């Protein structure tokens, strides 16, 4: 196993940087901060360290940063993947103290201060783990086998291909029951992702696909949103939760509460109540947990495989190792912080600040979360927003949702293309990306 950092000095392998970092004075070495994960948390941490007296090595198994909140629009043919993702090297091109390595992290040697990757090990003085989360199927093995998760670009493309292919199959299906099953789409989980996915799917079908398939009877199409509890969007006040459910019904989504999935075989959804729903598509948006890597690092883990951190965001007993974002577990006022982008972004700022404070011999800061509020859109002209204790719905909330997402997208090109796409779809009732590019095993 090679030690990539010591055999290759930070920066030496980079060819695309604008200006090389100034060399440290003879006999001294700048501390190396290794950041694992170029998602919301990792990328923000790297940027927060751009002027710090450190060398940063950012590691990710992908060469791009992904804006996950818009993945459902890729899955419903509204956006192309490259409109919601950007190469990490392009983002950090001008950051002279940072280099990027595309490799999979597989382990941690905390006593040797090295992370282990598929391509050798990388030494660090400080480590920020921002490895994010993955879909939580709660042990239901049949769901990932026959259904779809929504966590990365390949999964979103698989959903898009499958949904569009379901319409093609329905066109060829002579048996009315099997045709109805082909045209029944079940979304599981009434959180923001499930609500947004169900709303967008219903609009794709009712506003666009009906024009492509004029011979199909739209009454055969069903979109169901199954939620195990008695509420959607649990973090929102009751008035907004009710408004979200009403809007979904208005957009032809059947919202079912107390509906817990027990099994799925690719053709029938079995509920815990015993009810069977014939459906050839099941999209699982019902849970998240930390990536399984967290269980292989020799660090403690808590609920959902998340790594407990102290208020300075370090792992107790492991000074210099910070865990941020979805992979971290920190309770505030008796409840764990949610697995959401603002938590990861704010933790990144604190972790970067605390590393600089340690280097300067100053005491660390305790992390304080400032909740920016929550938003969920339910198709055109409809959203619910809860910001600074004020709740609003409908068109104003939808405009806020649009503005917030455009601002947060990384890169001017992405912002421009997404905006143009949305405007086109809004005025012409279109979804340009409705191509079946690949057929899966079941298709
Ligand atoms: C479909 C969907 C919709 C969402 N919508 C919203 C929303 O509307 N609002 C909101 O606030 N939040 C939303 N979230 C949650 C939000 O995206 C996450 O909370 C946020 O991405 C967490 O940031 P992070 O930096 O912890 O992890 P991530 O952004 O997930 O980044 C983790 C990075 O680590 C890399 N990585 C993982 N394992 C390894 C490894 N072994 N080796 C190398 N690299 C590795 C990954 O490739 C990834 O780039 C949504 C999530 C999903 C999936």
């Amino acid at each position: 196993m090679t030690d990539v950092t010591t055999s290759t000095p930070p920066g030496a392998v980079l060819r695309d940087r604008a200006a090389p970092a100034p060399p440290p004075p003879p006999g001294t070495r700048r501390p190396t901060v290794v950041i694992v994960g170029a998602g919301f948390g990792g990328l923000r941490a790297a940027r927060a360290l751009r002027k710090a007296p450190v060398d940063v090595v950012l590691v990710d198994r992908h060469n791009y940063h992904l804006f996950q909140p818009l993945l459902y629009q890729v899955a419903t043919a509204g956006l192309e993947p490259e409109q919601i993702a950007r190469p990490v090297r392009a983002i950090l091109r001008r950051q002279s103290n940072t280099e990027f390595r595309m490799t999979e992290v597989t382990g941690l040697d905390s006593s040797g201060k090295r992370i282990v990757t598929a391509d050798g090990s990388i030494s660090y003085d400080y480590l920020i783990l921002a490895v994010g989360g993955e879909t939580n199927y709660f042990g239901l093995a049949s769901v990932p086998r026959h259904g779809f998760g929504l966590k990365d670009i390949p999964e979103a493309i698989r959903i898009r291909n499958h949904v569009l292919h379901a319409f093609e199959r329905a066109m060829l299906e002579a048996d009315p029951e099997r045709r109805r099953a082909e045209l029944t789409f079940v979304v599981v989980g009434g959180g923001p992702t499930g609500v947004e996915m169900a709303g967008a799917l219903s609009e794709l079908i009712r506003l666009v696909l009906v024009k492509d398939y004029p011979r199909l009877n739209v009454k055969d199409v069903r979109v169901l949103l199954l939620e195990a509890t008695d509420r959607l969007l649990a973090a929102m006040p009751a008035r907004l939760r009710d408004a979200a459910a009403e809007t979904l019904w208005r957009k032809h989504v059947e919202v079912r509460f107390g509906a817990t999935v027990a099994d799925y075989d690719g053709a029938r959804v079995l509920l815990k109540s015993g009810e069977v729903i014939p459906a050839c598509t099941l999209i699982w948006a019902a849970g998240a947990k930390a990536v399984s890597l967290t269980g292989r690092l020799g660090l403690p883990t808590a609920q959902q495989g998340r790594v407990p951190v102290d208020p300075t965001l370090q792992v107790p007993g492991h000074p210099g190792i910070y865990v941020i974002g979805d992979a971290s577990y920190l309770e505030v006022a008796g409840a764990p912080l949610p697995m959401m982008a603002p938590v990861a972004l704010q933790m990144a700022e604190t972790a970067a600040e605390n590393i600089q404070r340690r280097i300067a011999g100053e005491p660390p800061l305790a992390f304080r979360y400032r909740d920016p509020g929550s938003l969920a859109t339910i198709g055109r002209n409809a959203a619910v927003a809860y910001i600074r204790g004020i709740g609003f719905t409908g068109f104003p909330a939808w405009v806020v949702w649009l503005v917030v997402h455009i601002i947060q997208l990384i890169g001017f090109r992405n912002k421009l293309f997404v905006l143009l796409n949305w405007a086109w779809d809004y005025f012409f009732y279109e979804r340009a990306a409705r191509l079946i590019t690949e057929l899966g095993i079941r298709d």
Side-chain angles (χ1 to χ4, degrees), residues 413-433:
R413 184 182 181 278
N414 286 5
K415 290 181 204 285
L416 181 69
F417 278 87
V418 168
L419 201 58
L420 285 175
N421 231 79
W422 285 348
W424 186 274
D425 292 357
Y426 187 80
F427 290 114
F428 298 105
Y429 290 82
E430 261 290 346
R431 297 281 175 92

Side-chain angles (χ1 to χ4, degrees), residues 322-393:
Y322 298 78
V323 187
I324 62 173
D326 285 4
S328 69
Y329 183 91
L330 181 64
E331 286 190 7
V332 170
L337 286 170
M339 295 169 80
M340 291 185 70
V343 176
L345 293 168
Q346 292 178 32
M347 282 183 154
E349 300 278 355
T350 302
E353 172 71 25
N354 280 346
I355 288 174
Q356 294 177 79
R357 284 174 159 264
R358 260 186 78 141
I359 292 169
E362 295 167 9
L365 300 174
F367 177 67
R368 281 185 57 202
Y369 180 54
R370 297 167 305 282
D371 184 354
S374 38
L375 287 162
T377 181
I378 316 157
R380 45 191 298 128
N381 299 339
V384 287
Y386 187 59
I387 298 168
R388 292 180 203 277
I390 301 169
F392 48 110
T393 59

Side-chain angles (χ1 to χ4, degrees), residues 184-337:
T184 300
F185 303 91
V186 172
V187 179
V188 186
T193 302
V195 166
E196 295 188 338
M197 183 71 210
L201 191 55
S202 188
E203 284 199 341
L204 166 71
I205 295 165
R206 303 259 159 190
L207 302 181
V208 184
L209 295 186
V210 283
K211 294 185 284 188
D212 289 352
Y213 301 90
R215 290 178 50 210
L216 271 183
N217 184 355
V218 77
K219 286 190 185 141
D220 284 346
V221 179
R222 286 175 83 193
V223 177
L224 292 97
L225 178 60
L226 306 184
E227 166 54 44
T229 69
D230 61 354
R231 59 190 58 187
L232 300 178
L233 305 173
M236 297 226 176
R239 183 174 70 82
L240 299 184
R241 296 200 302 261
D242 294 346
E246 269 170 40
T247 309
L248 283 165
W249 276 104
R250 224 177 32 243
K251 292 188 183 254
H252 306 277
V253 176
E254 295 175 40
V255 182
R256 304 271 296 270
F257 293 110
T260 307
V261 173
D263 198 15
Y264 181 55
D265 65 3
R268 279 161 314 186
V269 185
L270 173 66
L271 301 187
K272 221 170 166 185
S273 62
E275 184 184 345
V276 171
I277 303 170
C280 293
T281 308
L282 181 144
I283 298 163
W284 186 264
K289 60 180 180 181
V291 288
S292 60
L293 174 72
T294 57
R296 302 194 300 273
L297 297 175
L299 301 175
T301 51
Q303 287 169 28
Q304 301 158 295
R306 298 164 78 184
V307 180
V309 290
D310 67 22
T312 71
L313 305 182
Q314 290 171 95
V315 183
H318 295 271
I321 298 182
Y322 298 78
V323 187
I324 62 173
D326 285 4
S328 69
Y329 183 91
L330 181 64
E331 286 190 7
V332 170
L337 286 170

Side-chain angles (χ1 to χ4, degrees), residues 63-244:
N63 78 331
Y64 56 81
H65 167 81
L66 173 64
F67 191 76
Q68 294 170 34
L70 289 180
L71 261 181
Y72 79 94
Q73 296 212 0
V74 174
T76 52
L79 293 174
E80 292 286 0
E82 63 271 20
Q83 293 171 334
I84 63 162
R86 194 142 196 263
V88 179
R89 288 183 183 276
I91 299 168
L92 295 175
R93 192 176 285 159
R94 284 184 231 288
Q95 190 162 321
S96 60
N97 71 341
T98 302
E99 67 169 283
F100 175 67
R101 309 253 176 96
M102 181 182 153
T103 184
E104 172 100 27
V105 173
T106 54
L108 170 68
D109 169 11
S110 57
S111 53
K113 289 194 152 197
R114 296 182 313 168
I115 56 158
V116 182
T117 81
D119 299 287
S121 60
I122 304 175
S123 298
Y124 62 82
D125 297 297
Y126 300 97
L127 176 64
I128 300 180
L129 291 168
V131 285
E134 62 188 32
T135 306
N136 191 350
Y137 294 100
F138 301 102
L140 279 175
S142 61
V143 174
R145 204 173 306 132
H146 302 289
F148 299 88
L150 181 60
K151 183 63 194 168
D152 54 27
I153 289 173
E155 284 182 322
I157 294 290
R158 274 182 66 216
I159 293 175
R160 184 183 86 186
N161 286 333
H162 178 84
V163 167
L164 297 173
H165 196 210
F167 278 81
E168 295 297 339
R169 281 192 304 261
M171 286 299 291
L172 302 172
E173 182 58 69
D175 179 72
E177 255 178 50
R178 284 217 293 269
R179 189 166 57 241
R180 273 195 291 277
E182 285 290 2
L183 295 175
T184 300
F185 303 91
V186 172
V187 179
V188 186
T193 302
V195 166
E196 295 188 338
M197 183 71 210
L201 191 55
S202 188
E203 284 199 341
L204 166 71
I205 295 165
R206 303 259 159 190
L207 302 181
V208 184
L209 295 186
V210 283
K211 294 185 284 188
D212 289 352
Y213 301 90
R215 290 178 50 210
L216 271 183
N217 184 355
V218 77
K219 286 190 185 141
D220 284 346
V221 179
R222 286 175 83 193
V223 177
L224 292 97
L225 178 60
L226 306 184
E227 166 54 44
T229 69
D230 61 354
R231 59 190 58 187
L232 300 178
L233 305 173
M236 297 226 176
R239 183 174 70 82
L240 299 184
R241 296 200 302 261
D242 294 346

